[in-house]
């Protein structure tokens, strides 16, 4: 298996492992918070049950104390006891076996009209509702009911006194239950909130739970006393745990960022690998291109050298022509080798430039001389215009010549069809501009940004038998930038190409 396939498989495995870990991490954190919530809700339920048992047994204890005190033979004693000791009981009614109130068998803490109302209510409705006929001896029964919209709680018991059967019915003081007993049980400082609601959901006692989610509220009904009411408990902490808890959110953020880091890291590695592969491809392309470029002039030199050596010339003029060809090709070879050597030095980070005060006009003249032969060979004309205003500059004359020659060489290589090349040396404000313009095929807009990259060759060129190494323009750019300037291209397919290399003129120049 080739290396990239391995690498991709490995990366897929890393992504899968990271994804799996993230998924399990997330699930674990979710399960944990679900469990945590269940524990909190269980604790709340237990506490609520305890409170209900406490309240109900207090009420039942109070009822039983009254039941015990009832002495059928001496009912009057009950009044004092009720008034002083049993605040939870509002009224006591003694009924005979035909469910009628016995004489002096009605005690109440009520005042005024409400005494009559209670009597009436008992006789007309409550006694019928109690279900006394089914009651067993000494077994407490209770009735929590609403009459005319008001709540009542009655407890009752069946007793025997000698031959006679009687019933004791107690009316609980619900006002006392709510304002005192509930208060005692629920107003304690605790992280929980308590509320008692009736069957319609109306709050009888306690806090408003508005804003708390229903799932975080535990609800338990009373069973032995006010069984139409329910106790509701909420814990804001548990509310926070419903939905997505804050810890779970933090976990999610952590897991998410870890995944992102892994993915970004892997993409970086992939990109690096791709770049490395592309660079390797470019390098081998470069080597084959350079070798080919070296080979062409070398084979020309060797061919004409051999002819001269063997005396295969018809005239001395022809011999001179062959020698000139050899000279020209050797210059081309030298330039190519210069290019490659300089490029290699720049790549290694060696400072290749030697700056000295010099005249740009001389640099241009030298470049024109050196490229004249090639221009001629390609049947092209070079039109040169030099601005006499151009000042002396601190520069590396050799490097600048190499840059101009590269631009002119490119014009010959790629734009020979345009027949003409313009070379301008100009001064524009604080810049010296060297412009090389051809009338060739031009460069596609989307490739103009990349032609200055090392090894880059335009698509159109790669398909043609025009050889090149892809380092010429990157050298031009490096040289221009080393002089504090830059190089720009202006081109379009079919519109020719203009390169402008500029160098800043130092203050006072
Ligand atoms: P090389 O010429 O060795 O390929 P360069 O760095 O000198 O490398 O040029 C990079 C690419 O820019 C060339 O391959 C070519 O596609 C494009 N190019 C450069 N000069 C011209 C030009 N005058 N006309 C058209 N295309 C050009």
């Amino acid at each position: 298996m080739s290396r990239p396939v391995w690498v991709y498989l490995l990366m897929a495995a890393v992504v899968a492992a990271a994804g799996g870990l993230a998924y399990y991490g997330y699930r674990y954190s979710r399960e944990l918070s679900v469990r945590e919530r269940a524990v909190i809700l269980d604790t709340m339920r237990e506490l609520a049950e305890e409170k209900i048992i406490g309240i109900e047994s207090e009420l039942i204890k109070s009822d039983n104390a009254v039941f015990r005190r009832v002495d059928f033979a001496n009912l009057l004693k009950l009044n004092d006891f009720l008034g002083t000791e049993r605040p939870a009981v509002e009224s006591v009614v003694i009924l005979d076996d035909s469910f009628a109130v016995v004489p002096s068998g009605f005690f109440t803490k009520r005042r005024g009209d409400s005494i009559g109302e209670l009597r009436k209510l008992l006789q007309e409705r409550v006694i019928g509702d109690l279900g006394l006929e089914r009651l067993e001896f000494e077994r407490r029964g209770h009735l929590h009911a609403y009459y005319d919209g008001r709540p009542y709680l009655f407890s009752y018991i069946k007793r025997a006194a000698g031959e006679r059967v009687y019933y004791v019915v107690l009316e609980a003081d619900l006002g006392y239950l709510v304002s005192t007993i509930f208060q005692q049980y629920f107003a304690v400082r605790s992280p929980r909130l308590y509320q008692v609601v009736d069957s319609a959901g109306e709050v009888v006692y306690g806090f408003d739970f508005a804003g708390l989610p229903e799932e975080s509220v535990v609800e338990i009904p009373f069973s032995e006393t006010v069984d139409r009411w329910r106790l509701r408990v909420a814990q804001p902490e548990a509310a926070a745990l419903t939905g997505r808890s804050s810890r779970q959110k933090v976990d999610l953020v952590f897991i998410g960022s870890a995944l992102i880091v892994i993915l970004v890291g892997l993409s970086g590695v992939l990109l690096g690998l791709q770049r490395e592969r592309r660079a390797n491809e470019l390098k081998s392309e470069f080597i084959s291109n350079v070798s080919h470029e070296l080979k062409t002039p070398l084979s020309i030199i060797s061919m004409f050298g051999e002819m001269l050596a063997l005396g295969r010339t018809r005239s001395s003029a022809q011999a001179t022509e062959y020698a000139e060809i050899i000279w020209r090709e050797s210059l081309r070879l030298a330039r190519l080798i210069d290019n490659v050597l300089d490029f290699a030095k720049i790549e290694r980070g060696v400072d290749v430039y030697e700056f000295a005060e010099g005249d740009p006009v001389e640099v241009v003249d030298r470049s024109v001389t050196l490229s004249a032969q090639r221009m001629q060979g390609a049947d092209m004309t070079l039109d040169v215009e030099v601005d006499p205003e151009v000042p002396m500059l601190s520069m590396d004359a050799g490097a600048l010549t190499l840059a101009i020659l590269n631009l002119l060489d490119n014009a010959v290589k790629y734009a020979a069809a345009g027949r003409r090349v313009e070379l301008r040396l100009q001064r524009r404000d604080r810049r010296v501009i060297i412009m090389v313009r051809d009338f060739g095929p031009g460069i596609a807009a989307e490739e103009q940004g990349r032609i200055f990259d090392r090894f880059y060759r335009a698509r159109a060129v790669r398909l043609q038998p025009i050889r090149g190494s892809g380092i010429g323009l990157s050298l031009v750019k490096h040289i221009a930038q080393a002089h504090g300037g830059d190089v720009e291209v202006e081109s379009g397919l079919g519109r020719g190409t203009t390169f402008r290399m500029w160098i800043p003129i130092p203050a006072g120049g």
Side-chain angles (χ1 to χ4, degrees):
M1 216 181 284
S2 65
R3 193 191 65 169
V5 177
W6 261 111
V7 171
Y8 288 127
L9 277 181
L10 234 135
M11 286 193 175
V14 171
V15 171
L21 271 180
Y23 172 68
Y24 279 105
Y26 172 71
R27 231 182 54 174
Y28 177 71
S29 122
R30 211 179 57 181
E31 263 172 29
L32 210 67
S33 72
V34 166
R35 231 175 291 157
E36 211 168 85
R37 190 176 154 247
V39 168
I40 291 184
L41 289 181
D42 279 351
T43 315
M44 281 160 62
R45 191 165 291 117
E46 267 172 38
L47 276 165
E49 275 166 1
E50 262 174 37
K51 299 258 179 202
I52 285 190
I53 291 171
I55 292 166
E56 294 205 310
S57 56
E58 198 163 309
L59 287 178
I60 292 168
K61 223 162 74 193
S62 162
D63 289 349
N64 287 340
V66 180
F67 290 146
R68 269 198 309 275
R69 273 302 179 103
V70 174
D71 178 0
F72 197 58
N74 188 4
L75 289 175
L76 286 175
K77 273 198 298 186
L78 205 56
N79 218 358
D80 303 336
F81 173 68
L82 250 193
T84 54
E85 285 184 45
R86 285 298 138 191
V89 176
E90 176 92 357
S91 319
V92 181
V93 182
I94 316 293
L95 307 176
D96 62 19
D97 54 359
S98 58
F99 312 139
V101 180
V102 301
S104 49
F106 188 91
F107 307 91
T108 185
K109 292 183 201 163
R110 287 171 184 268
R111 297 269 171 271
D113 291 347
S114 75
I115 301 176
E117 277 164 24
L118 177 68
R119 264 185 184 276
K120 198 163 160 250
L121 184 73
L122 278 167
Q123 262 152 9
E124 288 176 5
R125 301 170 71 181
V126 178
I127 292 173
D129 291 345
L130 292 178
L132 295 175
E133 48 291 311
R134 296 185 301 277
L135 195 64
E136 292 170 24
F137 280 103
E138 298 298 334
R139 288 289 287 274
R140 176 184 170 277
H142 78 279
L143 172 71
H144 183 215
Y146 278 73
Y147 293 105
D148 304 321
R150 284 191 54 202
Y152 292 86
L153 171 65
F154 297 102
S155 328
Y156 44 91
I157 195 167
K158 186 177 177 181
R159 281 269 168 83
E163 290 293 294
R164 298 195 57 182
V165 170
Y166 66 97
Y167 299 89
V168 184
V169 180
L170 311 182
E171 185 209 2
D173 183 347
L174 291 182
Y176 177 78
L177 171 68
V178 171
S179 64
T180 311
I181 301 185
F182 283 175
Q183 183 76 14
Q184 271 168 17
Y185 275 82
F186 304 136
V188 284
R189 274 175 59 122
S190 108
R192 284 161 288 277
L193 305 173
Y194 294 94
Q195 181 184 68
V196 176
V197 295
D198 63 18
S199 46
E202 290 291 321
V203 177
V204 176
Y205 170 88
F207 295 93
D208 188 5
F209 281 6
L212 288 174
E214 270 309 299
E215 325 73 272
S216 71
V217 177
V218 165
E219 196 175 279
I220 300 197
F222 288 83
S223 59
E224 298 298 316
T225 55
V226 278
D227 57 16
R228 297 187 62 177
W229 291 354
R230 288 163 288 145
L231 173 61
R232 284 158 58 84
V233 191
Q235 187 159 344
E237 249 174 71
L241 282 173
T242 60
R244 200 167 277 162
S245 76
S246 60
R247 209 202 45 219
Q248 215 182 326
K249 269 186 210 151
V250 172
D251 287 353
L252 212 68
V253 168
F254 267 128
I255 293 170
S257 347
L259 257 185
I260 289 170
V261 167
I262 290 173
L263 288 181
V264 169
L266 283 182
S267 321
V269 170
L270 262 182
L271 213 76
L273 275 175
Q274 248 167 13
R275 283 228 180 109
E276 194 200 335
R277 221 175 55 196
R278 178 83 193 118
N280 282 340
E281 274 171 18
L282 284 174
K283 270 183 191 154
S284 49
E285 221 172 275
F286 167 71
I287 290 168
S288 99
N289 284 340
V290 167
S291 314
H292 195 272
E293 282 212 77
L294 290 174
K295 233 173 109 186
T296 318
L298 261 182
S299 51
I300 294 173
I301 289 170
S302 130
M303 188 176 82
F304 286 99
E306 193 184 343
M307 283 193 183
L308 278 180
L310 297 177
R312 296 228 186 108
T313 46
R314 268 182 251 121
S315 61
S316 69
Q318 199 177 32
T320 314
E321 191 193 332
Y322 286 1
E324 269 178 2
I325 291 174
I326 291 173
W327 181 41
R328 197 174 67 212
E329 288 303 315
S330 66
L331 281 181
R332 202 177 140 195
L333 205 59
R335 204 148 67 227
L336 184 69
I337 290 168
D338 274 355
N339 248 4
V340 174
L341 288 181
D342 280 2
F343 177 77
K345 276 196 219 155
I346 288 166
E347 284 286 285
R348 274 183 283 130
V350 179
D351 189 8
V352 285
Y353 302 105
E354 282 170 19
F355 287 88
E357 188 82 353
D359 188 353
V361 179
E362 275 174 25
V363 171
V364 169
D365 284 347
R366 221 162 85 85
S367 311
V368 171
T369 314
L370 285 173
S371 60
Q373 288 280 349
R374 274 207 85 190
M375 289 284 167
Q376 238 172 31
D379 209 8
M380 293 177 86
T381 53
L382 179 61
D383 168 10
V384 186
E385 238 179 68
V386 171
D387 183 348
E389 294 278 295
V390 171
M392 300 280 278
L393 286 177
S394 162
M395 61 187 184
D396 182 327
L400 273 187
T401 312
L402 193 68
I404 298 172
L405 285 177
N406 266 304
L407 294 178
L408 293 175
D409 266 4
N410 278 353
V412 174
K413 264 200 307 195
Y414 303 114
R419 295 273 161 263
R420 205 157 65 83
V421 182
E422 287 176 9
L423 172 61
R424 302 272 181 271
L425 177 67
Q426 302 159 324
R427 178 182 180 152
R428 286 275 178 281
D429 301 324
R430 310 280 334 146
R431 286 178 174 183
V432 169
I433 297 172
I434 298 160
M435 188 197 88
V436 176
R437 179 176 184 199
D438 66 48
F439 300 87
I443 301 165
E446 65 272 16
E447 288 190 294
Q448 288 173 16
R450 302 192 59 191
I451 52 172
F452 297 102
D453 290 351
R454 51 209 248 285
F455 308 134
Y456 188 81
R457 308 197 69 220
R459 213 173 306 121
V461 162
R462 271 182 266 147
L463 302 174
Q464 288 176 29
I466 308 173
R467 285 283 165 166
S469 51
I471 59 172
L473 287 180
S474 80
L475 257 178
V476 173
K477 195 174 184 78
H478 200 275
I479 292 166
Q481 287 177 343
H483 285 78
D486 211 342
V487 58
E488 287 146 12
V489 65
E490 189 189 318
S491 184
L493 285 179
R495 291 204 286 113
T497 306
T498 306
F499 285 100
R500 275 191 199 84
M501 181 165 82
W502 61 268
I503 296 169
I505 300 170

